[in-house]
Amino acid sequence: MMQTLNDQKLLRLIRYAPVVIIGVVTLVISLVLIKGNQARSEARLEALRSEVIEIQKETIRQHVNRVIQEIDYHRALAEGQLKRQAKMRVDEAHAIATNIYSQNAHLPEDVVTEMIADALRPIRFFDGRGYFFVFKMDGINVIHGLKPEIEGNSGWEAKDSRGTSILQEHIRLIAESGEAFYRWWYSKPGYPKDQEFEKIGYGKYFAPYDWFIGTGEYVDDVESDIQQHLLDWVTSYQYGDDGYVFVLDEEGKLLAHPHREYLSQPLSLIQFGGGQDIWERFQAAAPQGGFVEYQLIFTDDRQKLSYIAQIEEWGWTIGTGFYLDDFERYLDVKREEVAMLQRQEWMRLTLAIGSLAFAMIAFSLLLSMQVSRRFGRFQEKIAAHFNQLVQTRDQLQQIAQKDVLTNLPNRLMLTETIQQGIEEGREKGLHLAVVFVDLDNFKRINDIFGHSTGDELLVAVSERFDFLLEDDDLVARFGGDEFVFCFPNLKSFQAAERKIRRIKRVFDTPFKVGGRLVTTGCSVGASMFPADSDSAEVLIRNADIVLYKSKAAQRKGEVFFYSAAINEEVQYAFQMQEQLKQAIERNELFVLYQPQVDAAANEIVGVEVLARWENSKLGFVPPDKFISAAEEAGIIHQIGMWVFRRACEDVLSISPNGENALKLSVNISPAQLNEAEFATDMLAVINEVGIDIDRLVLEITENILIHDLTEVAPMLHSLRHLGFGISLDDFGTGYSSLSYLNTLPITEIKIDRCFVDKLLVSDQSDSLIKAILAIGAASDFSVVAEGVETKSQYVKLKSYGCHFVQGFYFDKPLSLELLQARLEKTVSYPAL
Ligand code: C2E
Ligand code: MG
Ligand code: MG
């Protein structure tokens, strides 16, 4: 069972362990990958962050540079434009003057001059600031669009604030090549006198009157146009979602900004968080171009990173920036995107690992299932084989525990049941009886009717026995014709006795076997727990001992319970049998001869052979005892033959065959008569020894003879036929029926000594003896009176006509030597 349990665990392990291992490994790998992935994403995000910041920074730097380029370009363009326009205007004025002159050349110079002056004087350009002036090459002003009052005056000596003689220089350049650009510094209307502004001018020589026509423009006026134009442009400059460029003047006032309300405001009025001096930081960064990070309070403390540069010529500081939180927001979006990507990647990864794991798990599951299934099959096979074995074992056990013929439990199961009953009895304080039952005459039934009938009888008996059983009772076939009952849980000996009587009553009704009715009986022996033993084996043995004793008691039908005395008795009997088996070879047996006397002649005519046994352990054992022991031990034949041979030899040695030869009476046990070879063996001895057969008388006990009459009758006849005399021993103790006497080949009757004993005191004995003697006289058999001890007995027997007597009165059983002496009359007869 333990084994199976372990196997099942192992089976589960085989089935699920790989799956669990793969699952765990997959999980670990996934975690590691995901962790790595997360770290990578984090790094990527960080990289992205700095990258995006860099890009953004680059973007704003480019925007600033672009604005600066634009401004530079327009600034450079302004001067050229100015010059071009100035020249264009002067060329127009020159054309006008030339035209007027050519149409009026016939008119005097002053008239023509006035006509030209009228034409040129009102012309304005450059947003109304521009006008023409005409000088004679000697410095006399001819026409002045702005100040006609100085016409006619010489401007030859006029110098600008930097000491340059403006007109002289001017005229010199024009005289060289007919036309020229020039620069000078000059005051400006609406501005203090001492403040001068740079001007660019152009002049062209007018040959008819030795003039030059010129014009000029304040450079800064043009530039401020351009500046205003550029600032407008910058203000509306936009990029990205809300990118703008701001411009500050050299005092830090805002010149361009999408929030127009801040324009002309100093930076300090725009609040910055943390009390930063932004202007200073702008100024520090501007010359080389640099980034400044700061907080703008009016945008809710948003952190801004700006690129600051400058246009030195105009003293402008230009910048643009971006809100870092915008960027963070952007980054958040990016992060979200990355997270999304990551999630997708995870999903892909999870899917990949999952499907891989699934495939592996499925594969390993398949594999382990296969293995476990095979394992299971093996296990099943083993279990099946095991079950088969168990079944076979059970069957064997059953076979081992059941008797094949009667189907009753056999002795194996009996022992177990008894042992269990003992345990139970011990707990409950109850008795248990073991009853040994042996069928009477079973051997004979077997011999006469055949073994199959014997078997049938056993089956029939066992069925009746089985029918007797109550509750926990059990009957087992112990072997042969032996049965053993186990009666557990008995309250008393009486209960056991009642049950035993019921067993005996089973045999009151004959058994119908082999087509005939058979009557039989049984012998019973019982032992009890706890009185006799608490071991099943001992109880059975004790019951067997009682049975033995019961059988020995000659089927008196008495129930015997085990007792120490019986045990001792039976033990003694067993011991006797054991010793007896070696009696012949140990030379412990010997024979005595009791003479039989012819009453009339007062002569010894014969002797009865009486066996004697003296054992070293048991001492002298009476023949009654050892003869029956030999019968039970199955050695009566050997002992009988030994006695017979010895007697024949002895008697022949002292009394040769012939007319006066002594008769020899030999006691024969019925067991010997059952021996098929008996007659042959006896003849062989007779022939070997050489004694005449008609000297020999075989004494057979009446009691036993009558009992086994039918069986022994044929043997008796053949023995008689061979020539043996047949003597009916112990006559009167048996059935005392004379009816069979005619059917048997009897040659002699021996009146038992109990009658002789009571001859003088009992009329019954007296009349019996008389009757026997009368029959003997009428028939052809002789009568011997045994146990004659007194003279009066002898006299009475003699008076009744008894021919032969035997007894202590004449002789006790004698050794051969004494017998010989008796025969030779060296020993005297009792006085008659
Ligand atoms: P049994 O055949 O009746 O033998 C006669 C018995 O009576 C003998 O006893 C004998 O000693 C005894 N006896 C003879 N005269 C007197 C007497 O005056 N008074 C008394 N009280 N007893 C007397 P034993 O030798 O003890 O033999 C007993 C029985 O043993 C015999 O009875 C016989 O049946 C049997 N037996 C003896 N030897 C053999 C033998 O070799 N073979 C067989 N099968 N049985 C034997
Ligand atoms: Mg006898
Ligand atoms: Mg006798």
Side-chain angles (χ1 to χ4, degrees), residues 331-348:
L331 216 64
D332 279 348
V333 172
K334 275 286 160 201
R335 194 174 281 128
E336 193 47 50
E337 275 172 22
V338 166
M340 178 91 127
L341 281 175
Q342 204 169 42
R343 269 201 298 280
Q344 280 170 355
E345 204 169 332
W346 284 356
M347 257 156 76
R348 270 201 304 278

Side-chain angles (χ1 to χ4, degrees), residues 596 608-610 665-668 699-701 727 729-730 750 786 806:
Q596 292 176 339
E608 182 179 0
V609 182
L610 296 163
S665 289
V666 183
N667 290 290
I668 298 298
E699 290 190 11
I700 294 146
T701 313
S727 173
D729 203 356
D730 301 341
K750 288 185 87 171
E786 268 190 307
Q806 180 185 343

Side-chain angles (χ1 to χ4, degrees), residues 161-179:
S161 52
R162 313 215 171 156
T164 309
S165 300
I166 310 161
L167 200 57
Q168 286 174 27
E169 180 67 16
H170 210 150
I171 289 167
R172 190 184 57 83
L173 287 170
I174 293 168
E176 270 175 20
S177 54
E179 55 186 340

Side-chain angles (χ1 to χ4, degrees), residues 594 608 611-612 623-624 667 729-730 753 786 788-789 807-808 813:
Q594 189 175 34
E608 182 179 0
R612 293 291 179 264
D624 304 310
N667 290 290
D729 203 356
D730 301 341
R753 69 168 182 271
E786 268 190 307
V788 180
E789 291 182 351
F808 292 169

Side-chain angles (χ1 to χ4, degrees), residues 230-277:
L230 283 172
L231 285 174
D232 284 345
W233 172 71
V234 168
T235 302
S236 61
Y237 186 92
Q238 275 184 356
Y239 63 91
D241 287 343
D242 54 356
Y244 65 92
V245 179
F246 58 85
V247 180
L248 297 159
D249 67 8
E250 41 207 354
E251 286 161 15
K253 283 184 184 159
L254 272 169
L255 293 176
H257 194 279
H259 286 276
R260 287 184 186 276
E261 64 268 27
Y262 296 134
L263 291 183
S264 305
Q265 301 273 7
L267 258 192
S268 56
L269 288 181
I270 303 169
Q271 286 193 308
F272 293 92
Q276 307 159 31
D277 193 342

